[in-house]
Short mmCIF file of all heavy atoms in Angstrom, two decimals:
data_model
loop_
_atom_site.label_atom_id
_atom_site.label_comp_id
_atom_site.label_asym_id
_atom_site.label_seq_id
_atom_site.Cartn_x
_atom_site.Cartn_y
_atom_site.Cartn_z
N TYR A 1 70.68 152.16 100.17
CA TYR A 1 70.36 151.18 99.09
C TYR A 1 71.00 149.83 99.38
O TYR A 1 70.40 148.77 99.15
CB TYR A 1 70.86 151.68 97.75
CG TYR A 1 69.92 152.63 97.09
CD1 TYR A 1 70.21 153.99 96.91
CD2 TYR A 1 68.72 152.20 96.58
CE1 TYR A 1 69.36 154.89 96.27
CE2 TYR A 1 67.81 153.09 95.94
CZ TYR A 1 68.14 154.39 95.79
OH TYR A 1 67.28 155.25 95.15
N PHE A 2 72.19 149.84 100.00
CA PHE A 2 72.87 148.61 100.35
C PHE A 2 72.04 147.80 101.37
O PHE A 2 71.87 146.57 101.21
CB PHE A 2 74.25 148.91 100.92
CG PHE A 2 75.04 147.70 101.25
CD1 PHE A 2 75.72 147.00 100.27
CD2 PHE A 2 75.11 147.24 102.52
CE1 PHE A 2 76.48 145.86 100.54
CE2 PHE A 2 75.87 146.11 102.85
CZ PHE A 2 76.52 145.43 101.87
N VAL A 3 71.50 148.48 102.35
CA VAL A 3 70.63 147.81 103.34
C VAL A 3 69.43 147.23 102.69
O VAL A 3 69.07 146.05 102.94
CB VAL A 3 70.23 148.80 104.47
CG1 VAL A 3 69.19 148.18 105.37
CG2 VAL A 3 71.47 149.21 105.28
N LEU A 4 68.80 147.95 101.80
CA LEU A 4 67.62 147.44 101.10
C LEU A 4 67.96 146.19 100.25
O LEU A 4 67.27 145.19 100.25
CB LEU A 4 67.03 148.51 100.17
CG LEU A 4 65.85 148.07 99.33
CD1 LEU A 4 64.66 147.59 100.18
CD2 LEU A 4 65.40 149.19 98.41
N ALA A 5 69.06 146.27 99.54
CA ALA A 5 69.49 145.13 98.71
C ALA A 5 69.73 143.89 99.56
O ALA A 5 69.35 142.76 99.19
CB ALA A 5 70.73 145.46 97.92
N ASN A 6 70.36 144.08 100.70
CA ASN A 6 70.60 142.96 101.66
C ASN A 6 69.25 142.29 102.05
O ASN A 6 69.20 141.08 102.12
CB ASN A 6 71.35 143.38 102.89
CG ASN A 6 72.85 143.40 102.67
OD1 ASN A 6 73.39 142.50 102.07
ND2 ASN A 6 73.46 144.44 103.13
N ILE A 7 68.29 143.13 102.36
CA ILE A 7 66.97 142.59 102.73
C ILE A 7 66.34 141.86 101.60
O ILE A 7 65.73 140.79 101.78
CB ILE A 7 66.09 143.75 103.25
CG1 ILE A 7 66.62 144.29 104.56
CG2 ILE A 7 64.64 143.26 103.41
CD1 ILE A 7 65.97 145.60 105.01
N LEU A 8 66.48 142.36 100.38
CA LEU A 8 65.84 141.79 99.22
C LEU A 8 66.47 140.49 98.72
O LEU A 8 65.86 139.75 97.96
CB LEU A 8 65.80 142.79 98.07
CG LEU A 8 64.84 143.97 98.25
CD1 LEU A 8 65.02 145.01 97.16
CD2 LEU A 8 63.40 143.47 98.24
N GLU A 9 67.69 140.24 99.13
CA GLU A 9 68.39 139.03 98.62
C GLU A 9 67.59 137.78 98.78
O GLU A 9 67.59 136.92 97.91
CB GLU A 9 69.77 138.88 99.27
CG GLU A 9 70.84 139.74 98.62
CD GLU A 9 72.22 139.38 99.10
OE1 GLU A 9 72.47 138.17 99.35
OE2 GLU A 9 73.01 140.30 99.27
N ASP A 10 66.95 137.60 99.88
CA ASP A 10 66.17 136.40 100.11
C ASP A 10 64.80 136.40 99.44
O ASP A 10 64.18 135.36 99.26
CB ASP A 10 65.98 136.16 101.63
CG ASP A 10 67.29 135.75 102.29
OD1 ASP A 10 68.15 135.17 101.66
OD2 ASP A 10 67.43 136.07 103.49
N LEU A 11 64.35 137.59 99.10
CA LEU A 11 62.99 137.69 98.49
C LEU A 11 63.03 137.66 96.96
O LEU A 11 62.20 137.01 96.35
CB LEU A 11 62.36 139.03 98.93
CG LEU A 11 62.11 139.21 100.41
CD1 LEU A 11 61.65 140.61 100.73
CD2 LEU A 11 61.12 138.14 100.95
N ASP A 12 63.99 138.37 96.38
CA ASP A 12 64.01 138.56 94.94
C ASP A 12 65.42 138.90 94.52
O ASP A 12 65.84 140.06 94.60
CB ASP A 12 63.02 139.65 94.53
CG ASP A 12 62.91 139.83 93.03
OD1 ASP A 12 63.78 139.33 92.27
OD2 ASP A 12 61.94 140.49 92.63
N LYS A 13 66.19 137.92 94.10
CA LYS A 13 67.62 138.11 93.73
C LYS A 13 67.78 139.10 92.61
O LYS A 13 68.70 139.92 92.66
CB LYS A 13 68.28 136.78 93.39
CG LYS A 13 68.33 135.82 94.56
CD LYS A 13 69.71 135.30 94.74
CE LYS A 13 69.77 134.26 95.82
NZ LYS A 13 69.50 134.74 97.14
N SER A 14 66.90 139.06 91.61
CA SER A 14 67.08 139.99 90.49
C SER A 14 66.86 141.42 90.92
O SER A 14 67.54 142.35 90.48
CB SER A 14 66.15 139.60 89.33
OG SER A 14 64.80 139.75 89.70
N LYS A 15 65.94 141.65 91.85
CA LYS A 15 65.68 142.98 92.33
C LYS A 15 66.87 143.42 93.20
O LYS A 15 67.30 144.59 93.16
CB LYS A 15 64.38 143.05 93.14
CG LYS A 15 63.97 144.46 93.46
CD LYS A 15 62.55 144.54 93.94
CE LYS A 15 62.17 145.95 94.19
NZ LYS A 15 60.79 146.13 94.67
N ALA A 16 67.39 142.50 94.00
CA ALA A 16 68.56 142.83 94.84
C ALA A 16 69.73 143.25 93.93
O ALA A 16 70.45 144.18 94.24
CB ALA A 16 68.92 141.66 95.71
N ILE A 17 69.93 142.51 92.84
CA ILE A 17 71.01 142.83 91.91
C ILE A 17 70.84 144.22 91.37
O ILE A 17 71.82 144.97 91.28
CB ILE A 17 71.08 141.76 90.79
CG1 ILE A 17 71.62 140.44 91.36
CG2 ILE A 17 71.93 142.27 89.64
CD1 ILE A 17 71.46 139.23 90.42
N SER A 18 69.62 144.61 91.01
CA SER A 18 69.42 145.94 90.44
C SER A 18 69.65 147.02 91.50
O SER A 18 70.15 148.09 91.19
CB SER A 18 68.01 146.07 89.84
OG SER A 18 67.01 146.07 90.82
N ILE A 19 69.33 146.70 92.76
CA ILE A 19 69.62 147.65 93.84
C ILE A 19 71.14 147.78 94.07
O ILE A 19 71.65 148.88 94.31
CB ILE A 19 68.85 147.30 95.14
CG1 ILE A 19 67.37 147.26 94.88
CG2 ILE A 19 69.20 148.27 96.26
CD1 ILE A 19 66.74 148.61 94.54
N TYR A 20 71.82 146.65 94.00
CA TYR A 20 73.30 146.72 94.13
C TYR A 20 73.87 147.58 93.02
O TYR A 20 74.89 148.27 93.22
CB TYR A 20 73.93 145.31 94.14
CG TYR A 20 73.74 144.60 95.47
CD1 TYR A 20 73.21 143.32 95.54
CD2 TYR A 20 74.17 145.23 96.66
CE1 TYR A 20 73.08 142.69 96.77
CE2 TYR A 20 74.02 144.57 97.89
CZ TYR A 20 73.48 143.32 97.94
OH TYR A 20 73.34 142.68 99.14
N ASP A 21 73.28 147.55 91.84
CA ASP A 21 73.72 148.42 90.74
C ASP A 21 73.61 149.89 91.15
O ASP A 21 74.47 150.69 90.82
CB ASP A 21 72.92 148.17 89.46
CG ASP A 21 73.29 146.87 88.80
OD1 ASP A 21 74.41 146.37 88.98
OD2 ASP A 21 72.42 146.35 88.04
N LYS A 22 72.55 150.21 91.90
CA LYS A 22 72.39 151.61 92.36
C LYS A 22 73.49 151.96 93.37
O LYS A 22 74.01 153.08 93.38
CB LYS A 22 70.99 151.81 92.95
CG LYS A 22 69.90 151.79 91.93
CD LYS A 22 68.55 152.01 92.55
CE LYS A 22 67.50 151.92 91.49
NZ LYS A 22 66.19 152.27 91.98
N VAL A 23 73.79 151.03 94.25
CA VAL A 23 74.85 151.25 95.24
C VAL A 23 76.17 151.53 94.51
O VAL A 23 76.86 152.49 94.79
CB VAL A 23 75.02 149.99 96.14
CG1 VAL A 23 76.23 150.17 97.09
CG2 VAL A 23 73.77 149.76 96.95
N ILE A 24 76.46 150.70 93.52
CA ILE A 24 77.70 150.84 92.75
C ILE A 24 77.73 152.17 91.98
O ILE A 24 78.76 152.82 91.90
CB ILE A 24 77.93 149.63 91.87
CG1 ILE A 24 78.21 148.40 92.76
CG2 ILE A 24 79.04 149.86 90.84
CD1 ILE A 24 78.08 147.07 92.03
N ALA A 25 76.58 152.58 91.48
CA ALA A 25 76.52 153.85 90.76
C ALA A 25 76.81 155.04 91.71
O ALA A 25 77.43 155.99 91.28
CB ALA A 25 75.13 154.02 90.07
N LEU A 26 76.37 154.88 92.89
CA LEU A 26 76.58 155.96 93.89
C LEU A 26 77.96 155.90 94.54
O LEU A 26 78.52 156.92 94.94
CB LEU A 26 75.52 155.88 95.03
CG LEU A 26 74.08 156.26 94.56
CD1 LEU A 26 73.10 155.87 95.65
CD2 LEU A 26 74.01 157.75 94.29
N ASN A 27 78.52 154.68 94.66
CA ASN A 27 79.86 154.54 95.25
C ASN A 27 80.54 153.32 94.55
O ASN A 27 80.36 152.18 94.99
CB ASN A 27 79.74 154.24 96.74
CG ASN A 27 81.05 154.05 97.41
OD1 ASN A 27 82.12 154.11 96.76
ND2 ASN A 27 81.04 153.81 98.71
N ASN A 28 81.31 153.61 93.53
CA ASN A 28 81.94 152.54 92.75
C ASN A 28 83.11 151.89 93.51
O ASN A 28 83.75 150.97 92.96
CB ASN A 28 82.35 153.02 91.37
CG ASN A 28 83.48 154.04 91.41
OD1 ASN A 28 83.90 154.46 92.47
ND2 ASN A 28 83.96 154.39 90.25
N ARG A 29 83.39 152.31 94.69
CA ARG A 29 84.43 151.69 95.53
C ARG A 29 83.83 150.80 96.64
O ARG A 29 84.55 150.38 97.52
CB ARG A 29 85.30 152.79 96.19
CG ARG A 29 85.98 153.74 95.22
CD ARG A 29 87.04 153.12 94.39
NE ARG A 29 88.10 152.57 95.24
CZ ARG A 29 89.00 151.70 94.86
NH1 ARG A 29 88.98 151.24 93.64
NH2 ARG A 29 89.90 151.28 95.68
N ALA A 30 82.52 150.57 96.54
CA ALA A 30 81.84 149.72 97.58
C ALA A 30 82.09 148.24 97.29
O ALA A 30 81.24 147.61 96.61
CB ALA A 30 80.35 150.05 97.59
N ALA A 31 83.24 147.76 97.72
CA ALA A 31 83.58 146.35 97.45
C ALA A 31 82.50 145.39 97.95
O ALA A 31 82.22 144.38 97.30
CB ALA A 31 84.91 146.02 98.10
N CYS A 32 81.85 145.72 99.02
CA CYS A 32 80.82 144.88 99.58
C CYS A 32 79.64 144.73 98.60
O CYS A 32 79.02 143.67 98.55
CB CYS A 32 80.35 145.39 100.92
SG CYS A 32 79.83 147.12 100.91
N ALA A 33 79.34 145.77 97.87
CA ALA A 33 78.23 145.71 96.92
C ALA A 33 78.56 144.78 95.74
O ALA A 33 77.76 143.96 95.34
CB ALA A 33 77.89 147.13 96.38
N TYR A 34 79.84 144.86 95.29
CA TYR A 34 80.26 143.96 94.23
C TYR A 34 80.24 142.52 94.72
O TYR A 34 79.78 141.61 94.01
CB TYR A 34 81.67 144.31 93.75
CG TYR A 34 81.79 145.56 92.93
CD1 TYR A 34 82.20 146.73 93.51
CD2 TYR A 34 81.46 145.57 91.60
CE1 TYR A 34 82.33 147.90 92.76
CE2 TYR A 34 81.58 146.72 90.84
CZ TYR A 34 82.01 147.90 91.46
OH TYR A 34 82.09 149.04 90.70
#
């Protein structure tokens, strides 16, 4: 999910944000996602 969010950042920030939420839900210690 993190890789997907990184790709989406340039295309659709709001979608990238929602994908980062999934990363955080799966791993709340993922500082890079925050």
Side-chain angles (χ1 to χ4, degrees):
Y1 277 111
F2 183 80
V3 170
L4 176 62
N6 276 317
I7 292 168
L8 288 172
E9 278 191 36
D10 290 332
L11 300 173
D12 185 344
K13 295 231 185 292
S14 64
K15 191 167 183 179
I17 288 168
S18 70
I19 300 295
Y20 283 127
D21 286 336
K22 290 181 183 186
V23 174
I24 291 165
L26 291 168
N27 180 1
N28 67 354
R29 302 292 300 162
C32 53
Y34 288 100

